[in-house]
Amino acid sequence: MEFCPKCGCVLVAQNKDFKCPRCNYKAKSKIKIESTEKIDSKPEIGVIRDKDTDGRR
Ligand SMILES: [Zn+2]
């Protein structure tokens, strides 16, 4: 959930952006997309490590 930096109101999702219903502040959801990409790349590293351990045996 995102909050408005101006009035602290909860931002409402509107299309791809977030909008404050109180003061009409608009915020893009770029931060959320970035964090999702970081989480997505973590399992791949784990798979590579798994193969490395398997080759040693
Ligand atoms: Zn606001």
Side-chain angles (χ1 to χ4, degrees):
M1 202 176 278
E2 307 239 4
F3 293 92
C4 175
K6 281 187 179 179
C7 67
C9 199
V10 179
L11 298 184
V12 181
Q14 210 168 56
N15 293 328
K16 285 178 183 177
D17 296 340
F18 285 93
K19 191 184 172 186
C20 178
R22 208 173 183 180
C23 68
N24 269 7
Y25 170 85
K26 276 188 181 180
K28 288 182 182 176
S29 53
K30 261 190 179 183
I31 301 165
K32 272 195 175 182
I33 296 166
E34 269 184 62
S35 60
T36 313
E37 275 183 271
K38 277 182 183 178
I39 296 165
D40 226 63
S41 63
K42 270 186 180 179
E44 275 183 56
I45 298 163
V47 174
I48 294 163
R49 275 189 186 175
D50 229 15
K51 276 183 184 177
D52 221 329
T53 336
D54 229 40
R56 278 190 181 179
R57 281 181 186 173

